[in-house]
Amino acid sequence: MKVLMKGNEAIGEAAIRAGCDAYFGYPITPQTEVLEYMSRRMPKLGRAFVQAESELGAINMVYGAACTGTRVMTTTSSPGYSLMQEAVSYIALSFVPCVIVNIMRGGPGLGNIQPAQGDYFQMTKGGGHGDYHLLVLAPATVQEMVDLIVEAFDLADKYRQPVTVIADGLIGQIMEPVAFPELKAPQRPERPWALTGAKGREKNIITSLYLGAERLEQENIRLQATIRQIEENEVRYTEYMMEGAELVVVAYGTAGRIVQTAVKQAREEGIAVGLFRPISMFPFPYARLKEIASTAQQILVVELSAGQMIEDVRLASCDQLPISFFGKMGGVVPLPDDVLAEIKKLVK
Amino acid sequence: MTQEAELVFSRPESLSDVVTHYCPGCIHGIVHRLIAEVMDELGIRERTIGIAPVGCSVLAYNYFECDFAEAAHGRAPAMATGMKRVEPDLTIFTYQGDGDLASIGTNEVIHAAARGENITTIFINNAVYGMTGGQMAPTTLPGMVTTSSPYGRDVKTQGYPVRVCELLSQLDGAAYIVRRTAYKPAEVRKLRRAIKTAFQVQMAGLGFSLVEVVSNCPTNWGMTPKESLKFVEERMVDYYPLGDFRVKDEVKDLR
Ligand SMILES: Cc1ncc(C[n+]2csc(CCOP(=O)(O)OP(=O)(O)O)c2C)c(N)n1
Ligand code: SF4
C-alpha cells in the first residue's frame, strides 16, 4: 500500500521500519521534519529520541548508542554536518555502524535553506580529519529515499561504518506516494565487539586512539580494506534512455530528476541524449562511466553546485571526451527547460 | 607462622593489573582505585560502561576491567547519553578533566545535567591542562602561573575560574553534585563515599550525578607530590570549597 508522504517524514518512517532504535538530532531547516516526526513516533514505540543541545551533542550521542551495537540515526543539514565532522572521523576509525542523513542546503556559511549539492566534496571525500571515506547514497525520489534509508542500516551493520544518505530540501519537502517495508523491531544481532557490559567475557574497548605509529597504521590498513570492499560491492547507479546516446548527461539526486525530464523532452525532439545517474556517490561508479565515455561523444555534468562531482566524472573518463558543466549555486534550481537548452547548445 | 594471614588489602577486581602512565603523586591514580572499589562493592563491573576523556586520563580504558569507550575531547556526556538511552540498565560513567569538562565540553555536561541524564561524571579538577603540558585551564586560579599564563592568570584579560559544581547545582535535572578532594586519607574516604553515592543515584534512576575531585598536577605545577597536596589543601580548596552543592531529597533516602 502506498501512502502520500513528505520526504523528510518518510526518512523517519523508513528508519523506524528498518529497526532504528535511537534517534538524536538538532533542528535545522530543511530537515527539521525528521526530528519532529521522530519525536512523535519513537517514544510511542519505546525507542530512544533526544533533541540534542547541538549537532556536536547529537553525533556524539549517536556514537555512544552505536557503541552498544544498536541501530541509530541522526539527520541534519549542511552547517550541522560540518559541526559533526570530528565525531564522524572518530566513528569511522572506531568501526561502529550508524546512519547519517544530510539534507543539503545552499552554502557556504549560513547560506540559505534552498536545495543545493555543494556538500559533495565534504560527503564523498572524507569530510573530517584523517584518511577515510564513507558510503554516500543519493536518492532522487521519496520512494528511493525510503529504500536507501532501509538499506543504509544494513550496510552500516555490514561494514561497521557510518553510512550517509544525501538529498536536499526539494526531496525533503516534496510529497510523493511511497511504500514502506514491514515494521522491524530494533534488532541487536550478536555483536561481539559492542559495549554491553563485560559479563562472562573480556572487556571491550571502543577507541580511535592508537599511540604507536605501527598500531595506528594497522588500524588504517583495516579501515582502507573496508573501504576497498565497499568500493567493490556497493556501486549503484541508474541509466535512463541511454541507448545510442551521443550526449550523456551525468547528474544525481534532485539534479538527476530535473535532467530526466529534460532528456525525455530532448529524445522526443530526436536528440540522442541519455541520463547517467550515480546513486552511490561514494563509491562513485567509475568503471561504468568509463565504459560509457568510450562510446559517447560528449558528457554534460549537471549539479546544484559550482561543479564538484565533475571531478569524479573527469577521473572516470580520463578526459577522453569533451566534458561540459551546467550548474546553479546558492539554491537556484534550474528548470528542465534550462537543461534542455544546454543540451541543444551542445548537440548543435 | 601457623595461623592463616588475613588479606586486608588487595587490588579491586574492577582495576586492571597493569602499570598506569600517571606521574608519581598524581591523584588520578587514587580516583581510579576508588571507582574500581565502588564498582566491586556495588557488584556492577559486568554492567558498567566507562567513557574516557581526552586528557591525561585518555587511557583510563586500560585501567578498568569493564567495557570502555574513548570520547572526543569534551563529548563524553553526550556519548554517555546515547549509551544510557539505549541501555538504561547499564551503569554509565564519564571520567573527565577540567579542560575536557569545563572548557571544550561545557555545553555537553550542562545539557546532560539539565536533561537529568541518568549518568555519573567523575570530574578531575587539577587547574591545568595536564596532557598538553600545563596550559591554563578554565579552572586555573587567579595569579597562577601556567605555560600559557606565564605572568600568572590575569583575570582582567584571562577571566575568572569556572566553579563547575556551583554552576551545575542550578539545574533541576541534577540529582547529586558534590565536591571532594584527596589530599589526605580522611578526604579520600569522603571521596570514596561520594563516588559510591553517585553510582547509587544513577542505579536508582534519580538523575545526573557528578563528583568533582579537587586534584593536583605535581608535574605541571612544578612541585613535588607533597608540595602539590599542600597547594591543594591551602589554595585550591580555598577557591573550590568542598561540600554538597545539590542533593535531591530522594538521594538522602538512599543512605
Ligand atoms: C578537539 C581537540 N582540541 C584539543 C585537543 C588537545 N588536548 C588534548 S588533552 C587537552 C587538555 C586536557 O586537559 P584536562 O581536561 O584538564 O585533563 P588533564 O590532562 O589535566 O587530566 C587538550 C587541549 C584535542 N585532543 N582535541
Ligand atoms: S601531567 Fe599532571 S595530571 Fe597528568 S598524570 Fe602527570 S601529574 Fe597527573
Side-chain angles (χ1 to χ4, degrees), chain A residues 21-22 24 48-54 56-58 60-65 67-68 70 86-87 90 94 188 194-211, chain B residues 16 45-50 54 58-73 75 77-83 85-87 90 104 107-109 111-112 115 117 131:
Chain A
D21 195 21
F24 307 100
F49 167 88
V50 178
Q51 177 171 328
E53 61 273 19
S54 69
L56 281 178
N60 284 285
M61 290 173 196
V62 165
Y63 190 8
C67 285
T68 71
T70 194
E86 182 198 33
Y90 275 61
S94 297
R188 258 179 255 195
L195 307 185
T196 52
K199 198 179 167 95
R201 60 156 168 78
E202 294 280 289
K203 68 174 174 180
N204 282 339
I205 295 170
I206 293 183
T207 182
S208 63
L209 175 76
Y210 299 94
L211 289 174
Chain B
S16 303
R45 184 187 69 81
E46 295 179 331
R47 298 188 270 121
T48 296
I49 307 176
V54 175
V58 69
L59 293 172
Y61 54 74
N62 287 332
Y63 307 144
F64 291 96
E65 282 306 295
C66 62
D67 278 2
F68 240 90
E70 163 54 39
H73 197 17
R75 315 292 170 223
M79 221 178 161
T81 299
M83 287 177 181
R85 291 295 182 117
V86 295
E87 290 285 4
L90 297 182
I104 198 166
N107 207 33
E108 282 72 17
V109 77
H111 287 281
R115 285 190 305 266
E117 291 298 341
M131 189 197 209

Side-chain angles (χ1 to χ4, degrees), chain A residues 10-254:
Chain A
I11 293 172
E13 188 56 33
I16 287 168
R17 299 290 173 110
C20 174
D21 195 21
Y23 173 91
F24 307 100
Y26 187 80
I28 181 169
T29 314
Q31 65 77 47
T32 307
E33 293 88 352
V34 190
L35 175 99
E36 291 171 343
Y37 189 81
M38 294 309 247
S39 76
R40 288 200 296 276
R41 289 274 281 141
M42 294 294 270
K44 290 255 155 74
L45 292 163
R47 306 185 191 182
F49 167 88
V50 178
Q51 177 171 328
E53 61 273 19
S54 69
E55 286 86 352
L56 281 178
I59 191 69
N60 284 285
M61 290 173 196
V62 165
Y63 190 8
C67 285
T68 71
T70 194
R71 289 195 153 180
V72 52
M73 177 174 86
T74 186
T75 60
T76 186
S77 178
S78 308
Y81 192 60
S82 290
L83 205 49
M84 291 181 178
Q85 291 314 300
E86 182 198 33
V88 172
S89 166
Y90 275 61
I91 295 171
L93 195 69
S94 297
F95 291 91
V96 296
C98 64
V99 173
I100 305 170
V101 180
N102 178 3
I103 303 298
M104 298 181 283
R105 52 189 256 175
L110 194 50
N112 62 24
I113 60 171
Q114 308 302 325
Q117 298 180 323
D119 300 354
Y120 180 87
F121 287 149
Q122 187 179 38
M123 297 304 302
T124 62
K125 307 297 177 190
H129 57 289
D131 279 319
Y132 72 95
H133 288 275
L134 303 182
L135 226 164
V136 185
L137 303 171
T141 64
V142 176
Q143 182 66 60
E144 198 175 20
M145 173 64 92
V146 166
D147 298 343
L148 289 178
I149 291 280
V150 171
E151 226 186 320
F153 280 97
D154 292 334
L155 292 169
D157 281 345
K158 180 173 174 190
Y159 296 106
R160 281 175 60 184
Q161 282 290 297
V163 172
T164 62
V165 179
I166 52 170
D168 54 60
L170 199 139
I171 294 168
Q173 304 293 329
I174 204 168
M175 286 186 85
E176 285 181 334
V178 275
F180 289 100
E182 289 295 305
L183 181 75
K184 251 196 211 170
Q187 318 162 306
R188 258 179 255 195
E190 223 10 60
R191 282 171 183 147
W193 50 267
L195 307 185
T196 52
K199 198 179 167 95
R201 60 156 168 78
E202 294 280 289
K203 68 174 174 180
N204 282 339
I205 295 170
I206 293 183
T207 182
S208 63
L209 175 76
Y210 299 94
L211 289 174
E214 277 81 18
R215 186 71 183 80
L216 181 57
E217 187 191 34
Q218 268 176 25
E219 288 303 309
N220 267 277
I221 289 169
R222 179 178 166 214
L223 180 56
Q224 290 302 318
T226 303
I227 295 169
R228 292 298 89 74
Q229 260 187 307
I230 290 172
E231 284 175 334
E232 241 166 65
N233 304 336
E234 309 305 341
V235 172
R236 287 165 172 71
Y237 55 83
T238 175
E239 296 177 7
Y240 178 73
M241 294 192 157
M242 284 286 285
E243 324 73 47
E246 289 165 11
L247 168 63
V248 174
V249 189
V250 184
Y252 72 96
T254 290

Side-chain angles (χ1 to χ4, degrees), chain A residues 86, chain B residues 28 54-57 73 97-100 104 126 128-132:
Chain A
E86 182 198 33
Chain B
H28 270 308
V54 175
C56 276
S57 41
H73 197 17
D98 45 69
D100 195 80
I104 198 166
N126 62 5
V128 284
Y129 284 23
M131 189 197 209
T132 42

